[in-house]
Amino acid sequence: MVDPRYITITVQYEPRPRYGRSLQWIAPELKDSALTIIEDQLDGPTPSRTWAGLVDGPTYERFAEAWRLPKDTDETTSQTAGDNRELATHTYTLDGMNWEAGHESPIVCVSLKVMQPA
C-alpha cells in the first residue's frame, strides 16, 4: 500500500485562459482529493494557480500512474517537517502541451512537488 503524499501543483497559464482552470480539468484523478487552491493569480501578468493538500495513498497511486511519474527520481531532496521529521521531496516540471486540445493548450507548464515521510 502506498503512503499518503502531500502535493503541490502550480499551473502557469497563457494570458487570459478560457478553459483548463479547474483542478478537475488538469488532474481528474485528484478531483475528489483534499487539494485546495492556495494561490490564485489568474488576473496577474503571469496567470497561475496553485493547489496543495494531502492525498491518500490509493488516489496518489492513480494520479502517479496517469501522469507517468517515475517511482524514483534523481531530483529527490530532503526537507524537515515542523516536528523534525525528514520528508522526501520529488519535484517535476511538465510542458503545457501535455494538456493540448485542438493544437493548443491554455497551460504553459505545470510544476509538481510531492512530499512523503522518509
Side-chain angles (χ1 to χ4, degrees):
M1 178 127 198
V2 174
D3 291 330
R5 305 288 201 287
Y6 185 87
I7 66 174
T8 304
I9 298 175
T10 300
V11 180
Q12 182 181 348
Y13 293 96
E14 294 287 348
R16 296 176 298 285
R18 296 184 321 267
Y19 62 95
R21 297 174 291 203
S22 72
L23 181 61
Q24 182 174 348
W25 192 85
I26 297 158
E29 307 79 20
L30 300 175
K31 69 178 179 167
D32 295 325
S33 69
L35 267 66
T36 57
I37 290 181
I38 60 169
E39 186 178 276
D40 189 350
Q41 300 290 326
L42 281 182
D43 295 329
T46 307
S48 67
R49 272 194 172 156
T50 300
W51 290 267
L54 191 64
V55 176
D56 65 73
T59 300
Y60 177 76
E61 211 167 23
R62 285 190 303 276
F63 168 71
E65 184 177 314
W67 281 41
R68 295 181 181 98
L69 300 179
K71 300 256 186 238
D72 294 309
T73 179
D74 292 336
E75 297 178 33
T76 300
T77 57
S78 236
Q79 293 186 350
T80 303
D83 57 2
N84 292 326
R85 287 182 301 135
E86 290 288 312
L87 299 176
T89 303
H90 305 281
T91 305
Y92 309 92
T93 302
L94 299 112
D95 185 284
M97 290 311 285
N98 288 319
W99 289 268
E100 177 183 5
H103 301 293
E104 68 175 14
S105 174
I107 297 172
V108 174
C109 68
V110 175
S111 297
L112 171 65
K113 182 191 275 187
V114 179
M115 292 182 274
Q116 68 187 69

Short mmCIF file of all heavy atoms in Angstrom, two decimals, residues 54-115:
data_model
loop_
_atom_site.label_atom_id
_atom_site.label_comp_id
_atom_site.label_asym_id
_atom_site.label_seq_id
_atom_site.Cartn_x
_atom_site.Cartn_y
_atom_site.Cartn_z
N LEU A 54 -3.07 17.10 1.21
CA LEU A 54 -2.73 15.71 1.44
C LEU A 54 -3.58 14.81 0.57
O LEU A 54 -4.79 15.00 0.47
CB LEU A 54 -2.94 15.38 2.93
CG LEU A 54 -2.38 14.06 3.40
CD1 LEU A 54 -0.85 14.05 3.29
CD2 LEU A 54 -2.79 13.82 4.85
N VAL A 55 -2.94 13.85 -0.07
CA VAL A 55 -3.63 12.91 -0.95
C VAL A 55 -3.41 11.51 -0.39
O VAL A 55 -2.28 11.12 -0.09
CB VAL A 55 -3.07 13.00 -2.39
CG1 VAL A 55 -3.70 11.96 -3.29
CG2 VAL A 55 -3.29 14.40 -2.95
N ASP A 56 -4.48 10.75 -0.24
CA ASP A 56 -4.36 9.38 0.29
C ASP A 56 -3.59 8.50 -0.69
O ASP A 56 -3.46 8.83 -1.88
CB ASP A 56 -5.74 8.79 0.61
CG ASP A 56 -6.60 8.61 -0.62
OD1 ASP A 56 -6.32 7.69 -1.42
OD2 ASP A 56 -7.55 9.39 -0.79
N GLY A 57 -3.07 7.40 -0.19
CA GLY A 57 -2.23 6.51 -0.98
C GLY A 57 -2.85 6.01 -2.28
O GLY A 57 -2.24 6.14 -3.34
N PRO A 58 -4.06 5.42 -2.25
CA PRO A 58 -4.66 4.90 -3.49
C PRO A 58 -4.91 6.01 -4.53
O PRO A 58 -4.69 5.80 -5.72
CB PRO A 58 -5.97 4.27 -3.03
CG PRO A 58 -5.73 3.90 -1.60
CD PRO A 58 -4.82 4.99 -1.07
N THR A 59 -5.33 7.19 -4.08
CA THR A 59 -5.55 8.29 -5.02
C THR A 59 -4.22 8.73 -5.62
O THR A 59 -4.13 8.96 -6.83
CB THR A 59 -6.24 9.48 -4.32
OG1 THR A 59 -7.50 9.04 -3.81
CG2 THR A 59 -6.46 10.64 -5.27
N TYR A 60 -3.19 8.85 -4.79
CA TYR A 60 -1.87 9.23 -5.31
C TYR A 60 -1.38 8.20 -6.32
O TYR A 60 -0.82 8.55 -7.35
CB TYR A 60 -0.84 9.40 -4.20
CG TYR A 60 0.51 9.73 -4.79
CD1 TYR A 60 0.76 11.01 -5.28
CD2 TYR A 60 1.48 8.75 -4.96
CE1 TYR A 60 1.97 11.30 -5.89
CE2 TYR A 60 2.68 9.04 -5.58
CZ TYR A 60 2.92 10.32 -6.04
OH TYR A 60 4.11 10.60 -6.67
N GLU A 61 -1.59 6.92 -6.05
CA GLU A 61 -1.15 5.87 -6.96
C GLU A 61 -1.82 6.02 -8.33
O GLU A 61 -1.15 5.92 -9.36
CB GLU A 61 -1.49 4.51 -6.34
CG GLU A 61 -0.55 3.42 -6.71
CD GLU A 61 -0.74 2.19 -5.83
OE1 GLU A 61 -1.82 1.99 -5.25
OE2 GLU A 61 0.22 1.44 -5.75
N ARG A 62 -3.13 6.29 -8.36
CA ARG A 62 -3.84 6.51 -9.63
C ARG A 62 -3.30 7.75 -10.35
O ARG A 62 -3.09 7.75 -11.56
CB ARG A 62 -5.34 6.65 -9.39
CG ARG A 62 -6.05 5.36 -9.08
CD ARG A 62 -7.56 5.50 -9.10
NE ARG A 62 -8.05 6.53 -8.18
CZ ARG A 62 -8.29 6.35 -6.89
NH1 ARG A 62 -8.08 5.17 -6.34
NH2 ARG A 62 -8.75 7.33 -6.15
N PHE A 63 -3.08 8.81 -9.57
CA PHE A 63 -2.55 10.06 -10.12
C PHE A 63 -1.15 9.83 -10.71
O PHE A 63 -0.87 10.24 -11.84
CB PHE A 63 -2.52 11.12 -9.01
CG PHE A 63 -1.75 12.35 -9.34
CD1 PHE A 63 -2.22 13.25 -10.28
CD2 PHE A 63 -0.55 12.63 -8.70
CE1 PHE A 63 -1.51 14.40 -10.58
CE2 PHE A 63 0.16 13.77 -8.99
CZ PHE A 63 -0.32 14.67 -9.93
N ALA A 64 -0.27 9.18 -9.96
CA ALA A 64 1.10 8.94 -10.42
C ALA A 64 1.13 8.09 -11.68
O ALA A 64 1.92 8.33 -12.59
CB ALA A 64 1.91 8.28 -9.31
N GLU A 65 0.24 7.11 -11.75
CA GLU A 65 0.17 6.27 -12.95
C GLU A 65 -0.33 7.08 -14.15
O GLU A 65 0.23 7.01 -15.23
CB GLU A 65 -0.75 5.08 -12.70
CG GLU A 65 -0.79 4.12 -13.86
CD GLU A 65 -1.65 2.90 -13.56
OE1 GLU A 65 -1.51 2.33 -12.47
OE2 GLU A 65 -2.46 2.54 -14.44
N ALA A 66 -1.37 7.87 -13.96
CA ALA A 66 -1.93 8.67 -15.05
C ALA A 66 -0.92 9.71 -15.55
O ALA A 66 -0.85 9.98 -16.75
CB ALA A 66 -3.21 9.37 -14.60
N TRP A 67 -0.14 10.27 -14.66
CA TRP A 67 0.85 11.29 -15.02
C TRP A 67 2.21 10.68 -15.37
O TRP A 67 3.15 11.39 -15.67
CB TRP A 67 1.00 12.29 -13.89
CG TRP A 67 -0.09 13.33 -13.86
CD1 TRP A 67 -1.42 13.12 -14.07
CD2 TRP A 67 0.06 14.72 -13.60
NE1 TRP A 67 -2.10 14.30 -13.93
CE2 TRP A 67 -1.21 15.29 -13.64
CE3 TRP A 67 1.15 15.52 -13.30
CZ2 TRP A 67 -1.43 16.65 -13.43
CZ3 TRP A 67 0.94 16.87 -13.10
CH2 TRP A 67 -0.34 17.43 -13.17
N ARG A 68 2.29 9.35 -15.30
CA ARG A 68 3.52 8.61 -15.62
C ARG A 68 4.71 9.11 -14.80
O ARG A 68 5.81 9.32 -15.33
CB ARG A 68 3.82 8.69 -17.11
CG ARG A 68 2.77 8.01 -17.96
CD ARG A 68 3.13 8.10 -19.44
NE ARG A 68 2.13 7.47 -20.25
CZ ARG A 68 1.15 8.12 -20.87
NH1 ARG A 68 1.04 9.42 -20.76
NH2 ARG A 68 0.28 7.46 -21.61
N LEU A 69 4.48 9.31 -13.51
CA LEU A 69 5.56 9.75 -12.63
C LEU A 69 6.47 8.58 -12.33
O LEU A 69 6.00 7.48 -12.05
CB LEU A 69 4.99 10.31 -11.32
CG LEU A 69 4.07 11.51 -11.45
CD1 LEU A 69 3.57 11.93 -10.07
CD2 LEU A 69 4.77 12.67 -12.14
N PRO A 70 7.78 8.78 -12.38
CA PRO A 70 8.69 7.69 -12.05
C PRO A 70 8.60 7.33 -10.58
O PRO A 70 8.26 8.17 -9.74
CB PRO A 70 10.07 8.28 -12.39
CG PRO A 70 9.89 9.74 -12.38
CD PRO A 70 8.45 10.02 -12.72
N LYS A 71 8.89 6.10 -10.28
CA LYS A 71 8.85 5.65 -8.88
C LYS A 71 9.95 6.35 -8.08
O LYS A 71 9.78 6.70 -6.94
CB LYS A 71 9.03 4.14 -8.80
CG LYS A 71 7.96 3.38 -9.53
CD LYS A 71 6.99 2.79 -8.56
CE LYS A 71 6.02 1.91 -9.30
NZ LYS A 71 4.67 2.30 -9.14
N ASP A 72 11.12 6.56 -8.68
CA ASP A 72 12.23 7.25 -8.04
C ASP A 72 12.72 8.34 -8.99
O ASP A 72 12.53 8.25 -10.19
CB ASP A 72 13.40 6.30 -7.76
CG ASP A 72 13.01 5.26 -6.72
OD1 ASP A 72 12.50 5.66 -5.66
OD2 ASP A 72 13.21 4.06 -6.99
N THR A 73 13.37 9.34 -8.44
CA THR A 73 13.89 10.42 -9.26
C THR A 73 15.22 10.90 -8.70
O THR A 73 15.45 10.83 -7.50
CB THR A 73 12.89 11.59 -9.37
OG1 THR A 73 13.47 12.60 -10.16
CG2 THR A 73 12.53 12.17 -8.02
N ASP A 74 16.08 11.39 -9.56
CA ASP A 74 17.35 11.95 -9.11
C ASP A 74 17.15 13.29 -8.44
O ASP A 74 18.05 13.80 -7.79
CB ASP A 74 18.30 12.13 -10.30
CG ASP A 74 18.73 10.80 -10.88
OD1 ASP A 74 18.69 9.80 -10.14
OD2 ASP A 74 19.10 10.76 -12.06
N GLU A 75 15.98 13.90 -8.60
CA GLU A 75 15.73 15.23 -8.05
C GLU A 75 15.19 15.17 -6.62
O GLU A 75 14.60 16.12 -6.15
CB GLU A 75 14.75 15.98 -8.94
CG GLU A 75 15.28 16.22 -10.34
CD GLU A 75 14.27 16.92 -11.22
OE1 GLU A 75 13.49 17.73 -10.70
OE2 GLU A 75 14.27 16.64 -12.41
N THR A 76 15.39 14.06 -5.92
CA THR A 76 14.91 13.94 -4.55
C THR A 76 15.74 14.82 -3.63
O THR A 76 16.96 14.79 -3.68
CB THR A 76 14.99 12.49 -4.07
OG1 THR A 76 14.17 11.69 -4.91
CG2 THR A 76 14.50 12.35 -2.64
N THR A 77 15.06 15.60 -2.83
CA THR A 77 15.74 16.40 -1.82
C THR A 77 15.07 16.11 -0.49
O THR A 77 13.98 15.57 -0.44
CB THR A 77 15.64 17.91 -2.12
OG1 THR A 77 14.27 18.27 -2.23
CG2 THR A 77 16.35 18.26 -3.40
N SER A 78 15.73 16.47 0.57
CA SER A 78 15.17 16.25 1.89
C SER A 78 14.77 17.58 2.49
O SER A 78 15.48 18.56 2.35
CB SER A 78 16.22 15.59 2.78
OG SER A 78 15.74 14.41 3.29
N GLN A 79 13.62 17.62 3.12
CA GLN A 79 13.16 18.80 3.84
C GLN A 79 12.77 18.35 5.23
O GLN A 79 12.39 17.21 5.44
CB GLN A 79 11.97 19.44 3.14
CG GLN A 79 12.30 20.03 1.80
CD GLN A 79 11.14 20.79 1.21
OE1 GLN A 79 10.02 20.73 1.70
NE2 GLN A 79 11.40 21.50 0.14
N THR A 80 12.84 19.26 6.17
CA THR A 80 12.47 18.92 7.54
C THR A 80 11.08 19.46 7.83
O THR A 80 10.79 20.63 7.59
CB THR A 80 13.48 19.53 8.53
OG1 THR A 80 14.78 19.06 8.18
CG2 THR A 80 13.17 19.12 9.95
N ALA A 81 10.22 18.57 8.32
CA ALA A 81 8.86 18.97 8.70
C ALA A 81 8.92 19.71 10.03
O ALA A 81 9.94 19.69 10.72
CB ALA A 81 7.98 17.74 8.81
N GLY A 82 7.84 20.35 10.41
CA GLY A 82 7.79 21.11 11.65
C GLY A 82 8.14 20.30 12.88
O GLY A 82 8.66 20.83 13.85
N ASP A 83 7.90 19.00 12.86
CA ASP A 83 8.21 18.17 14.03
C ASP A 83 9.54 17.44 13.86
O ASP A 83 9.79 16.41 14.45
CB ASP A 83 7.08 17.18 14.30
CG ASP A 83 6.79 16.29 13.09
OD1 ASP A 83 7.48 16.42 12.06
OD2 ASP A 83 5.88 15.47 13.19
N ASN A 84 10.42 18.00 13.01
CA ASN A 84 11.77 17.50 12.75
C ASN A 84 11.82 16.15 12.03
O ASN A 84 12.84 15.49 12.04
CB ASN A 84 12.59 17.43 14.04
CG ASN A 84 12.88 18.81 14.57
OD1 ASN A 84 13.06 19.74 13.79
ND2 ASN A 84 12.89 18.95 15.87
N ARG A 85 10.73 15.74 11.41
CA ARG A 85 10.76 14.54 10.57
C ARG A 85 11.29 14.94 9.19
O ARG A 85 11.01 16.02 8.70
CB ARG A 85 9.36 13.95 10.39
CG ARG A 85 8.83 13.26 11.61
CD ARG A 85 7.46 12.65 11.34
NE ARG A 85 6.53 13.70 10.94
CZ ARG A 85 5.69 13.60 9.92
NH1 ARG A 85 5.64 12.52 9.18
NH2 ARG A 85 4.88 14.59 9.62
N GLU A 86 12.05 14.05 8.58
CA GLU A 86 12.54 14.29 7.23
C GLU A 86 11.45 13.94 6.23
O GLU A 86 10.74 12.96 6.39
CB GLU A 86 13.77 13.42 6.95
CG GLU A 86 14.99 13.84 7.72
CD GLU A 86 15.58 15.15 7.22
OE1 GLU A 86 15.76 15.30 6.00
OE2 GLU A 86 15.85 16.02 8.06
N LEU A 87 11.33 14.75 5.19
CA LEU A 87 10.38 14.49 4.11
C LEU A 87 11.15 14.32 2.82
O LEU A 87 11.98 15.17 2.48
CB LEU A 87 9.40 15.67 3.95
CG LEU A 87 8.51 16.00 5.14
CD1 LEU A 87 7.70 17.25 4.83
CD2 LEU A 87 7.59 14.84 5.46
N ALA A 88 10.91 13.22 2.11
CA ALA A 88 11.49 13.05 0.79
C ALA A 88 10.64 13.89 -0.16
O ALA A 88 9.42 13.78 -0.17
CB ALA A 88 11.46 11.59 0.38
N THR A 89 11.29 14.74 -0.93
CA THR A 89 10.58 15.64 -1.83
C THR A 89 11.00 15.39 -3.27
O THR A 89 12.19 15.38 -3.57
CB THR A 89 10.88 17.12 -1.45
OG1 THR A 89 10.51 17.32 -0.09
CG2 THR A 89 10.11 18.07 -2.34
N HIS A 90 10.03 15.16 -4.12
CA HIS A 90 10.26 14.97 -5.55
C HIS A 90 9.63 16.15 -6.27
O HIS A 90 8.50 16.52 -5.98
CB HIS A 90 9.62 13.67 -6.05
CG HIS A 90 10.07 12.47 -5.29
ND1 HIS A 90 11.27 11.85 -5.50
CD2 HIS A 90 9.47 11.77 -4.31
CE1 HIS A 90 11.39 10.82 -4.69
NE2 HIS A 90 10.31 10.75 -3.95
N THR A 91 10.37 16.72 -7.23
CA THR A 91 9.87 17.86 -7.97
C THR A 91 9.86 17.52 -9.46
O THR A 91 10.84 16.95 -9.97
CB THR A 91 10.78 19.09 -7.73
OG1 THR A 91 10.85 19.31 -6.32
CG2 THR A 91 10.22 20.33 -8.40
N TYR A 92 8.78 17.86 -10.12
CA TYR A 92 8.61 17.58 -11.55
C TYR A 92 8.13 18.85 -12.25
O TYR A 92 7.39 19.64 -11.66
CB TYR A 92 7.56 16.49 -11.79
CG TYR A 92 7.77 15.25 -10.98
CD1 TYR A 92 7.15 15.09 -9.74
CD2 TYR A 92 8.58 14.22 -11.44
CE1 TYR A 92 7.34 13.94 -8.99
CE2 TYR A 92 8.77 13.06 -10.69
CZ TYR A 92 8.14 12.93 -9.47
OH TYR A 92 8.32 11.80 -8.72
N THR A 93 8.53 19.03 -13.50
CA THR A 93 8.01 20.11 -14.33
C THR A 93 7.53 19.47 -15.63
O THR A 93 8.28 18.71 -16.25
CB THR A 93 9.08 21.17 -14.62
OG1 THR A 93 9.55 21.69 -13.37
CG2 THR A 93 8.52 22.31 -15.44
N LEU A 94 6.30 19.79 -16.02
CA LEU A 94 5.72 19.21 -17.22
C LEU A 94 5.34 20.32 -18.21
O LEU A 94 4.82 21.36 -17.80
CB LEU A 94 4.48 18.40 -16.86
CG LEU A 94 4.77 17.23 -15.92
CD1 LEU A 94 4.14 17.49 -14.58
CD2 LEU A 94 4.27 15.97 -16.51
N ASP A 95 5.56 20.06 -19.47
CA ASP A 95 5.22 21.01 -20.52
C ASP A 95 3.71 21.12 -20.67
O ASP A 95 3.00 20.12 -20.58
CB ASP A 95 5.84 20.53 -21.84
CG ASP A 95 5.65 21.51 -22.96
OD1 ASP A 95 4.52 21.60 -23.50
OD2 ASP A 95 6.62 22.21 -23.31
N GLY A 96 3.23 22.32 -20.90
CA GLY A 96 1.79 22.56 -21.04
C GLY A 96 1.14 21.84 -22.20
O GLY A 96 -0.07 21.60 -22.19
N MET A 97 1.91 21.45 -23.21
CA MET A 97 1.30 20.76 -24.35
C MET A 97 0.83 19.36 -23.99
O MET A 97 0.14 18.72 -24.76
CB MET A 97 2.27 20.73 -25.54
CG MET A 97 2.47 22.12 -26.16
SD MET A 97 0.94 23.03 -26.51
CE MET A 97 0.35 22.17 -27.95
N ASN A 98 1.15 18.88 -22.79
CA ASN A 98 0.57 17.62 -22.32
C ASN A 98 -0.94 17.76 -22.17
O ASN A 98 -1.66 16.77 -22.09
CB ASN A 98 1.18 17.20 -20.98
CG ASN A 98 2.61 16.73 -21.13
OD1 ASN A 98 2.93 16.02 -22.07
ND2 ASN A 98 3.47 17.13 -20.21
N TRP A 99 -1.44 18.98 -22.11
CA TRP A 99 -2.87 19.25 -21.97
C TRP A 99 -3.43 19.84 -23.26
O TRP A 99 -4.40 20.55 -23.26
CB TRP A 99 -3.11 20.20 -20.79
CG TRP A 99 -2.87 19.53 -19.49
CD1 TRP A 99 -3.81 18.88 -18.72
CD2 TRP A 99 -1.65 19.39 -18.80
NE1 TRP A 99 -3.22 18.35 -17.61
CE2 TRP A 99 -1.89 18.64 -17.62
CE3 TRP A 99 -0.34 19.81 -19.04
CZ2 TRP A 99 -0.90 18.33 -16.71
CZ3 TRP A 99 0.66 19.49 -18.13
CH2 TRP A 99 0.37 18.76 -16.98
N GLU A 100 -2.80 19.50 -24.37
CA GLU A 100 -3.19 20.03 -25.67
C GLU A 100 -4.58 19.56 -26.07
O GLU A 100 -4.95 18.42 -25.87
CB GLU A 100 -2.18 19.57 -26.72
CG GLU A 100 -2.52 20.00 -28.12
CD GLU A 100 -1.52 19.45 -29.12
OE1 GLU A 100 -0.63 18.66 -28.76
OE2 GLU A 100 -1.67 19.81 -30.29
N ALA A 101 -5.34 20.49 -26.63
CA ALA A 101 -6.66 20.19 -27.19
C ALA A 101 -6.80 21.04 -28.45
O ALA A 101 -6.75 22.26 -28.37
CB ALA A 101 -7.76 20.50 -26.19
N GLY A 102 -6.93 20.41 -29.59
CA GLY A 102 -7.08 21.16 -30.84
C GLY A 102 -5.84 21.96 -31.17
O GLY A 102 -5.93 23.10 -31.60
N HIS A 103 -4.66 21.39 -30.97
CA HIS A 103 -3.36 22.01 -31.27
C HIS A 103 -3.08 23.26 -30.45
O HIS A 103 -2.31 24.13 -30.88
CB HIS A 103 -3.23 22.33 -32.76
CG HIS A 103 -3.35 21.11 -33.62
ND1 HIS A 103 -2.43 20.09 -33.62
CD2 HIS A 103 -4.32 20.74 -34.48
CE1 HIS A 103 -2.82 19.16 -34.45
NE2 HIS A 103 -3.96 19.52 -34.99
N GLU A 104 -3.72 23.38 -29.30
CA GLU A 104 -3.42 24.50 -28.40
C GLU A 104 -3.60 24.02 -26.97
O GLU A 104 -4.23 23.01 -26.71
CB GLU A 104 -4.31 25.71 -28.67
CG GLU A 104 -5.76 25.47 -28.31
CD GLU A 104 -6.63 26.72 -28.47
OE1 GLU A 104 -6.20 27.69 -29.09
OE2 GLU A 104 -7.74 26.70 -27.95
N SER A 105 -3.02 24.77 -26.06
CA SER A 105 -3.15 24.45 -24.65
C SER A 105 -3.20 25.77 -23.88
O SER A 105 -2.43 26.68 -24.16
CB SER A 105 -1.97 23.62 -24.15
OG SER A 105 -2.05 23.44 -22.75
N PRO A 106 -4.10 25.86 -22.90
CA PRO A 106 -4.14 27.08 -22.09
C PRO A 106 -3.00 27.11 -21.07
O PRO A 106 -2.79 28.10 -20.39
CB PRO A 106 -5.49 26.98 -21.38
CG PRO A 106 -5.72 25.51 -21.25
CD PRO A 106 -5.13 24.91 -22.49
N ILE A 107 -2.25 26.01 -20.98
CA ILE A 107 -1.23 25.84 -19.95
C ILE A 107 0.17 25.98 -20.55
O ILE A 107 0.48 25.38 -21.58
CB ILE A 107 -1.38 24.47 -19.28
CG1 ILE A 107 -2.73 24.40 -18.57
CG2 ILE A 107 -0.24 24.19 -18.32
CD1 ILE A 107 -3.08 23.04 -18.03
N VAL A 108 1.02 26.77 -19.90
CA VAL A 108 2.42 26.90 -20.30
C VAL A 108 3.21 25.76 -19.70
O VAL A 108 3.93 25.05 -20.40
CB VAL A 108 3.00 28.27 -19.86
CG1 VAL A 108 4.50 28.33 -20.15
CG2 VAL A 108 2.26 29.41 -20.54
N CYS A 109 3.10 25.58 -18.38
CA CYS A 109 3.78 24.48 -17.72
C CYS A 109 3.12 24.18 -16.39
O CYS A 109 2.36 25.00 -15.85
CB CYS A 109 5.27 24.76 -17.53
SG CYS A 109 5.63 26.07 -16.36
N VAL A 110 3.42 23.00 -15.87
CA VAL A 110 2.90 22.57 -14.57
C VAL A 110 4.09 22.14 -13.73
O VAL A 110 4.93 21.36 -14.17
CB VAL A 110 1.91 21.39 -14.72
CG1 VAL A 110 1.48 20.87 -13.36
CG2 VAL A 110 0.70 21.81 -15.54
N SER A 111 4.16 22.68 -12.51
CA SER A 111 5.19 22.26 -11.55
C SER A 111 4.49 21.43 -10.48
O SER A 111 3.45 21.83 -9.96
CB SER A 111 5.85 23.48 -10.90
OG SER A 111 6.50 24.24 -11.88
N LEU A 112 5.07 20.31 -10.17
CA LEU A 112 4.50 19.40 -9.19
C LEU A 112 5.55 19.09 -8.14
O LEU A 112 6.70 18.75 -8.45
CB LEU A 112 4.08 18.10 -9.89
CG LEU A 112 3.65 16.94 -9.02
CD1 LEU A 112 2.36 17.26 -8.26
CD2 LEU A 112 3.48 15.68 -9.87
N LYS A 113 5.18 19.22 -6.88
CA LYS A 113 6.05 18.86 -5.77
C LYS A 113 5.33 17.80 -4.96
O LYS A 113 4.17 17.99 -4.57
CB LYS A 113 6.36 20.06 -4.89
CG LYS A 113 7.32 19.73 -3.74
CD LYS A 113 7.41 20.85 -2.74
CE LYS A 113 8.41 21.88 -3.14
NZ LYS A 113 8.62 22.90 -2.08
N VAL A 114 5.99 16.67 -4.74
CA VAL A 114 5.43 15.56 -3.97
C VAL A 114 6.30 15.34 -2.75
O VAL A 114 7.51 15.15 -2.87
CB VAL A 114 5.38 14.27 -4.82
CG1 VAL A 114 4.82 13.12 -4.00
CG2 VAL A 114 4.60 14.47 -6.10
N MET A 115 5.67 15.38 -1.57
CA MET A 115 6.41 15.15 -0.33
C MET A 115 5.85 13.93 0.39
O MET A 115 4.64 13.75 0.44
CB MET A 115 6.32 16.38 0.57
CG MET A 115 7.04 17.58 0.02
SD MET A 115 6.99 18.99 1.10
CE MET A 115 5.44 19.72 0.60
#
